[in-house]
């Protein structure tokens, strides 16, 4: 499910500022002085081409990991207020260096912290929602002809005047929130890959870059395991109608545009397939294949009869703050998936209830993974579902559980079978490129 | 001369908060996780002993140097606003880590940036003066039983809401300003040496730690080359009557107290020496020997007669923003000293005036150094001056220029002769300890 915690209350959308581009650069793009210079040249080139630019930066390279490691060395439980203060230092370094580098190229630039940029969040730490955008100083800087450089990932809680951070993918969220508040023409998310691919190129060598994808499909790809964009950022962009352009900071090539297409991506009800539609479906409607091996399967054995028992088990997991994904019941056995990191906690929560509910045992298996096919109209076309299971079966990937949503089918299989499942689906749905080339594929940082 | 740029307008002194100690830890004290833990334990021990504590921290170890180096890599001229933003990140890291470490030891601690701590400066960058202290949030944290951890070296310009930095020795200045504003009993400056010594222990093996020194003497030692405390911080403490205690964060030993003694350190007029006073002078009045090799001697040859010419030369140097120290005139030759880093600029400023004034040439010599004797009553006792020159002469250190102030005599000699000059004065004025041990001697960071 998309994480939509960061959506502010509905605001009056600003007038579109057609000449404005918001550019977000991840940690890998500003990993060292050379990277910062490269980004500075790109910003200046955009400016010279006639656009106004607002830049959002992440911390340099591994800075955040290093700070997290330092925190772990001085405290067994380094969360809360001080953790946000610590991590927020990373973006201050990269943004100040980038502003200097742009200034050295002859363009005026000024950096702004989250607070200075008007990123107001709720007063919680280590994952706050944005509640208001008040980018007055950014607008003033733009009007003065300057390039504002904004620290990603951070905001301020107005009640306490303390630094907060936005959680995973926070810099992308900052960029999209600024693009929405300023009415930017596009929010460009720069990363170290060429865009969003039809599958992870490390797994599917013939994966190809997607030129354009709907926000709804992108949302499903992200929640199914594609790590280039986080679901939270895509959802924010969709709600505020901000076109996203995911692209590489290492090349000048176009990346992947995420924006609503003209036709509706969600047909309102199932219909009969028409002749020749398979062709169109394969070429245009299926967006890609995603996978995620960071899941665990929990199996509860011999759950006693009684309508309330399954519900009590699921509620115990939810009450422990653990997100439940697929679930299935077969006779007296209940299975479901949770994020791998929460597997032990889920088991512990259930063990405490064993005598109370009366089930026999609970088991925990991390050697599983999910593979998903994403595309508009999947739910409307039973042939897609049939081909999906047929391809997995032919490839020898056993399916333990599966679910179908409007634009996605997901199957749980053995972790060892994930690669062949991805390849099989990629080929079966006509996604293979002729000139498939391996591309290093990584997250977009925070 | 002491740098007194950072003295705010006179304010009503707060009521003394007798239980409050302000502790400042330099970069060498918080260089790594181990150092941060050591500082945390010391803070908690102070707290458990019944005192309230406010902590001021510098950036970790070489962080500042690394940030400066990064800035140099992306910009040929990385000054101004962005440089302050960049450098201020260093203290945010150390203060957040220290707050976490103290919390992990079971005491509540919260970190505050310069802005949050109410350090208001003038709106200039890379060396701003504090114009106001408004530590409301620090007081509130203290009243709530928390240990406030404050970022040294940084403040905020109220007019522009931008981060500023206080320049060299800025963290010491933050600590003293907070101690003054909060009415602390003492401001403890923790460093990697045991205190202020009677001479640089790397030069004089028998140098011994000074247990107590007047602010006036400390000021002269600092301006004459002692690097443990900067003159600016001492002057600030003196004006606001804040006792300083310079000590090591690596030991529990008492260091050097800087506070006004009961007797006046500055006799109002010269008087006849009394019998037996030499003994007392040597034991108690002479504070120490300082030296400084970062000076250059400028010599202007064949300056034409005319009262205004010497003044025009000195003014040309001052107009170039260069601080002039010793100066002397012998027949038509004018000599003076400037900081070594400004030597070339001084020569360039003078060359531009050569035809105008009509002198023959200007020369520049960096192989010189200053040695100073500091102690109360020096100006009042001609025997001190006599012994000073006699000791240098016996040691073979040629004196080019000299000056005598109320509590200091300074001589300019060859850089190669500085070490023997320091040793000779240290012995002649009875400063040698019997158990002299070499101690690593370094600056207190920023």
């Amino acid at each position: 499910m998309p994480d939509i915690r960061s959506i502010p209350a509905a605001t009056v959308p600003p007038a579109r500022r057609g000449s404005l581009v918001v550019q977000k650069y991840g940690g890998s793009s500003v990993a060292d002085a050379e990277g910062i210079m490269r980004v500075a040249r790109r910003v200046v080139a955009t400016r010279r081409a006639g656009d106004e630019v607002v830049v959002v930066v992440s911390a340099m390279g591994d800075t955040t990991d290093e700070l997290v490691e330092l925190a772990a060395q001085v405290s067994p439980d380094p969360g809360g207020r001080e953790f946000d203060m610590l991590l927020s230092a990373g973006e201050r370094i990269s943004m100040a260096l980038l502003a200097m580098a742009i200034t050295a190229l002859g363009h005026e630039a000024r950096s702004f912290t989250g607070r200075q940029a008007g990123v107001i969040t709720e007063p919680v730490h280590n994952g706050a929602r944005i509640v208001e955008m008040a980018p007055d100083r950014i607008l003033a800087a733009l009007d003065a002809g300057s390039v504002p450089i904004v620290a990603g990932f951070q905001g301020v809680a107005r009640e306490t005047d303390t630094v907060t951070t936005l959680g995973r993918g926070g810099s992308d969220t900052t960029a999209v929130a600024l693009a929405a508040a300023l009415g930017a023409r596009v929010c460009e998310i720069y990363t170290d890959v060429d865009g969003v691919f039809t599958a992870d190129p490390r797994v599917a060598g013939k994966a190809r870059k997607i030129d354009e994808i709907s926000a709804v499909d992108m949302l499903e790809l992200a929640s199914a395991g594609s790590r280039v964009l986080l679901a939270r950022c895509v959802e924010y962009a969709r709600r505020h109608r901000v076109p996203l352009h995911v692209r590489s900071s290492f090349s000048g090539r176009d990346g992947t545009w995420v924006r609503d297409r003209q036709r509706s991506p969600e047909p309102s009800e199932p219909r009969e397939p028409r002749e020749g539609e398979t062709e169109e479906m394969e070429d245009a409607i299926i967006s890609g294949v995603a996978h995620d091996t960071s899941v665990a399967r929990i199996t509860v054995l011999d759950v006693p009869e009684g309508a309330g028992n399954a519900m009590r088990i699921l509620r115990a997991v939810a009450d422990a703050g653990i997100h439940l994904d697929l679930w299935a019941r077969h006779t007296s056995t209940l299975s479901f998936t949770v994020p791998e990191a929460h597997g032990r906690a889920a088991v512990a929560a259930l063990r405490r209830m064993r005598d109370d509910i009366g089930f026999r045992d609970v088991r925990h298996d991390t050697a599983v993974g999910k593979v998903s096919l994403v595309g508009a109209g999947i739910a409307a076309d039973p042939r897609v579902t049939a081909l999906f299971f047929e391809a997995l079966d032919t490839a020898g990937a056993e399916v333990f559980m599966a679910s179908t949503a409007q634009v996605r089918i997901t199957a749980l299989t053995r972790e060892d079978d994930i690669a062949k499942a991805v390849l099989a689906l990629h080929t079966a749905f006509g996604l293979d490129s002729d000139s498939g080339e391996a591309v290093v594929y990584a997250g977009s940082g925070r």
Side-chain angles (χ1 to χ4, degrees), chain A:
Chain A
M1 291 297 295
D3 171 7
I4 55 167
R5 295 176 56 219
S6 246
I7 313 268
T11 49
V12 179
R16 187 66 79 194
R17 196 168 173 126
S19 64
L20 177 64
V21 175
V22 173
Q23 298 185 331
K24 180 261 173 178
Y25 293 93
S28 57
S29 300
V30 292
D32 51 22
E34 194 188 326
I36 287 168
M37 294 300 294
R38 186 171 50 237
V39 168
R41 285 190 295 270
R42 184 180 286 274
V43 170
V44 167
T46 309
R47 196 79 189 75
R48 294 226 167 108
D51 281 324
E52 292 182 299
V53 190
V54 171
V55 179
V56 174
V57 277
S58 299
M60 293 171 72
D62 299 326
T63 303
T64 303
D65 290 344
E66 287 163 16
L67 293 176
V68 169
E69 171 60 27
L70 272 172
Q73 285 173 29
V74 301
S75 170
D77 178 26
R81 170 193 158 106
E82 301 304 333
F83 200 59
D84 282 353
M85 177 59 83
L86 178 72
L87 296 189
S88 72
E91 281 79 18
R92 294 169 78 96
I93 293 171
S94 52
M95 76 183 191
L97 289 169
L98 181 57
M100 285 177 197
I102 292 171
T103 303
L105 293 177
H107 268 268
E108 205 193 309
R110 358 189 76 201
S111 68
F112 296 91
T113 63
R115 184 182 64 80
Q116 291 171 339
V119 182
I120 316 295
T121 76
E122 55 182 353
V124 302
H125 288 290
N126 316 145
R129 279 182 304 180
I130 296 174
V131 294
E132 186 187 334
M133 292 296 294
D136 308 349
R137 291 176 71 174
I138 305 301
L139 282 167
L142 281 174
D143 289 342
S146 189
V147 178
I149 315 290
V150 178
F153 181 65
Q154 61 183 250
V156 67
R158 193 175 263 155
E159 297 85 343
T160 53
D161 188 19
T162 53
V163 174
T164 54
T165 59
L166 307 181
R168 248 189 104 212
S171 287
D172 288 358
T173 305
T174 302
V176 173
L178 270 174
L182 299 169
R185 187 179 78 224
V186 58
C187 179
E188 297 183 335
I189 307 287
Y190 284 90
T191 178
D192 53 359
V193 294
D194 279 336
V196 180
F197 280 70
T198 51
D200 184 339
R202 288 173 304 189
V203 173
K206 292 189 170 176
R208 54 183 169 75
K209 193 192 73 188
I210 300 171
D211 293 331
E212 183 166 346
I213 186 171
S214 72
V216 169
D217 281 16
M218 189 63 236
L219 209 48
E220 291 292 344
L221 273 182
S223 62
S226 168
R227 299 190 185 279
V228 178
L229 277 180
L230 288 181
R232 175 184 180 186
C233 155
V234 178
E235 174 64 9
Y236 202 130
R238 190 182 70 83
R239 291 213 183 184
H240 290 84
R241 298 182 189 284
V242 175
L244 294 176
H245 186 186
V246 185
R247 57 197 305 198
S248 168
S249 66
F250 295 85
S251 80
R253 286 194 288 274
D254 251 32
T256 300
W257 282 84
V258 183
R259 57 185 163 195
D260 283 333
R261 302 174 191 185
Q262 288 306 311
R263 70 187 135 165
S264 164
E266 297 177 62
S268 51
E269 45 186 311
R271 57 179 168 74
E272 288 300 304
R274 286 188 296 267
E275 202 177 359
E277 192 170 67
T278 302
E279 187 67 20
E280 192 195 319
M281 173 194 81
E282 290 175 3
D283 287 350
I285 302 186
I286 301 296
S287 287
V289 179
H291 70 276
D292 183 359
T293 58
S294 66
V295 295
R297 177 170 55 157
I298 309 289
T299 309
V300 189
L301 300 168
D302 292 351
V303 179
E305 288 293 322
N309 281 339
M311 190 53 70
R312 286 170 71 195
I313 286 170
L314 300 182
R315 178 159 297 154
V317 175
D319 285 351
I322 296 168
H323 179 66
L324 217 139
D325 190 13
L326 299 172
W327 78 279
R329 183 168 191 172
H330 179 70
T331 67
S332 64
T333 301
L334 189 69
S335 298
F336 55 87
T337 59
V338 297
E340 194 169 62
H342 297 155
R344 288 182 184 283
V347 169
L350 291 174
R351 289 246 158 88
R352 285 194 290 274
M353 304 185 64
R354 187 168 61 173
D355 294 343
D356 198 19
I357 297 182
F359 58 81
R360 180 162 61 87
D361 202 2
V362 54
R363 286 180 191 165
H364 173 226
D365 179 7
T366 60
V368 294
K370 289 188 297 183
V371 63
S372 302
L373 183 76
V374 172
I378 280 181
D381 193 336
R383 291 175 307 169
V384 173
T385 313
L387 183 54
F388 179 85
F389 287 106
E390 188 185 305
L392 293 180
D393 187 56
T394 307
E398 189 184 352
V399 175
F400 305 130
M401 285 188 260
S403 75
T404 302
Q406 278 293 335
V407 300
R408 172 163 64 99
I409 314 180
T410 296
L412 187 76
T413 182
R414 259 184 276 276
E415 188 163 357
D416 287 347
D417 293 336
I418 283 289
K420 60 188 178 192
V422 170
L423 285 170
L425 292 173
H426 203 265
T427 302
F429 285 91
L431 296 169
D432 287 357
S433 67
D434 291 334
S435 61
E437 53 184 54
V439 176
V440 178
Y441 189 85
S444 68
R446 71 180 200 208

